[in-house]
Amino acid sequence: MYMLNSSLSQNISIVHPDFFITGLTGTPYSTYFYIFLFIIYFISIIGNSIVILIIALHRSLHSPMYIGVFNLALADIGESNALIPNMMKIFFSDSQYISYNDCLANMFFVNFFITVQTYTLVVLAFDRFIAICLPLRYNAIVNNKFMAILFSVIWAFNTFLVTLSTSLMTRLSFCKSNVVESWYCDYGRLLRLPCNDSSINNVIAIIITAFFLVAPPFIIVMSYLGIFIALCKITTWEGRFKALKTCVSHLLAVGSFFLPILCNMIAAPSINARIISGSLSFALPPMLNPIIYVLNTAKIKDLIRKVLNNRSAPIRGNVSK
């Protein structure tokens, strides 16, 4: 009976308030920054949708690498939709408050799609490693079935881990403060606010950091170290350049994803500067990825050129008549 009463008293004492997202409160010309984010959002959605349609509709692109690019575009669209429209809703409305449940939903989707992006870049690094270091065994190791299973595991594992981290937030009581100094419901910022024991949540935060911010860059660096060693064994510069050219798109995507996050962590600027740089580090990669893969992938450029030529041919025929 005592244990039941104690449990009830603990549940009653848990406070789940609405949260106040500070964003760029009081910052001059912040409206222009949100307009800039909306432009980024618009380009991201259009660009990634085009990449998804091109890969889905053309059988010549139904290959392991483009399955990875397809998943990256899906994750980019998901992250952009989870992050930017919610920012617009909060900062252009009369209130910057977000309900507790909406905050957890926002946290879940942003974290989920970012983790999917991270491991998609790892898979694409593995794809390039096998293609360059073990070219004769590439088709046997990396095929469409393998990639489909691998991405199914990634999406399932990320769903489990992010769901676990988000659900554990419900055991915390936010009675110290409800002010989140961020541009969204940031998991790390929320962990600074509870007044009861958050040790389990801190352990999960360390695990997530290890899985998604430490392990992926390490794996990618090791993959390219192997690629570099393989390139050194190629006798001609022409052969080295041809092999390295296949990695350019992936290297640019990795740089656009990890470098802004790294700079934001190292610089430790003021709150407003951190919010601006942090939101850009989340918003820019989904915009840049479709541009990177379209401009640096000959197959996609050729398909777009053919579509444009086919559409312009009837117009030229009508004009000549």
Side-chain angles (χ1 to χ4, degrees):
M1 188 67 179
Y2 171 78
M3 292 177 65
L4 178 62
N5 291 334
S6 175
S7 176
L8 287 173
S9 64
Q10 286 179 355
N11 290 333
I12 292 171
S13 66
I14 292 178
V15 178
H16 290 164
D18 291 346
F19 290 103
F20 183 83
I21 310 296
T22 60
L24 296 173
T25 304
T27 304
Y29 309 112
S30 60
T31 302
Y32 297 106
F33 178 70
Y34 294 125
I35 293 173
F36 177 62
L37 282 182
F38 178 76
I39 295 172
I40 291 176
Y41 170 74
F42 180 78
I43 297 173
S44 300
I45 298 301
I46 297 298
N48 284 291
S49 297
I50 290 173
V51 169
I52 287 173
L53 285 173
I54 289 174
I55 294 174
L57 296 176
H58 294 276
R59 295 186 63 85
S60 62
L61 297 179
H62 294 180
S63 62
M65 190 187 84
Y66 293 106
I67 290 175
V69 176
F70 183 89
N71 277 270
L72 183 62
L74 281 179
D76 286 341
I77 288 177
E79 190 218 320
S80 296
N81 280 321
L83 187 67
I84 298 180
N86 193 65
M87 290 177 65
M88 299 296 160
K89 177 183 175 182
I90 291 174
F91 299 124
F92 281 117
S93 65
D94 295 332
S95 173
Q96 291 178 213
Y97 283 93
I98 182 172
S99 70
Y100 177 80
N101 289 332
D102 287 345
C103 184
L104 291 190
N106 177 242
M107 178 199 303
F108 172 85
F109 285 111
V110 172
N111 291 343
F112 173 72
F113 287 113
I114 287 175
T115 56
V116 171
Q117 282 178 318
T118 305
Y119 271 93
T120 300
L121 293 174
V122 172
V123 172
L124 289 171
F126 173 76
D127 173 82
R128 291 299 86 206
F129 172 80
I130 299 298
I132 294 173
C133 298
L134 301 170
L136 298 179
R137 298 185 59 192
Y138 177 80
N139 291 329
I141 298 174
V142 183
N143 51 51
N144 290 357
K145 182 178 179 181
F146 171 81
M147 294 294 274
I149 294 172
L150 186 57
F151 276 108
S152 297
V153 171
I154 287 172
W155 285 76
F157 175 73
N158 288 1
T159 300
F160 166 75
L161 197 57
V162 177
T163 300
L164 176 64
S165 65
T166 305
S167 61
L168 284 174
M169 295 295 290
T170 59
R171 59 180 292 276
L172 301 179
S173 180
F174 298 92
C175 50
K176 283 184 180 178
S177 174
N178 67 336
V179 178
V180 182
E181 294 180 344
S182 186
W183 64 98
Y184 77 109
C185 285
D186 189 340
Y187 187 84
R189 294 283 157 180
L190 282 173
L191 281 184
R192 302 180 182 186
L193 304 180
C195 50
N196 59 342
D197 181 30
S198 60
S199 56
I200 296 177
N201 300 77
N202 290 322
V203 170
I204 293 296
I206 293 171
I207 293 173
I208 290 174
T209 302
F211 266 109
F212 300 112
L213 288 180
V214 178
F218 177 77
I219 296 171
I220 291 170
V221 169
M222 295 305 294
S223 298
Y224 276 98
L225 180 61
I227 289 172
F228 176 76
I229 294 172
L231 290 176
C232 291
K233 294 179 181 178
I234 299 176
T235 55
T236 64
W237 282 101
E238 183 181 355
R240 293 174 185 175
F241 178 76
K242 186 177 180 181
L244 185 61
K245 190 178 178 182
T246 64
C247 301
V248 171
S249 296
H250 180 254
L251 284 170
L252 291 174
V254 169
S256 70
F257 183 85
F258 286 107
L259 286 179
I261 295 175
L262 182 63
C263 293
N264 191 43
M265 292 171 64
I266 294 174
S270 64
I271 291 176
N272 284 338
R274 178 182 58 77
I275 289 173
I276 291 174
S277 61
S279 57
L280 287 176
S281 70
F282 278 45
L284 284 176
M287 181 190 75
L288 295 175
N289 286 338
I291 298 172
I292 289 169
Y293 276 99
V294 167
L295 293 181
N296 287 285
T297 305
K299 280 188 176 181
I300 294 180
K301 284 194 293 186
D302 290 341
L303 285 171
I304 292 175
R305 196 178 293 114
K306 286 180 181 178
V307 170
L308 293 176
N309 289 337
N310 289 337
R311 288 187 176 183
S312 62
I315 296 175
R316 287 197 298 268
N318 291 333
V319 171
S320 63
K321 290 178 181 179

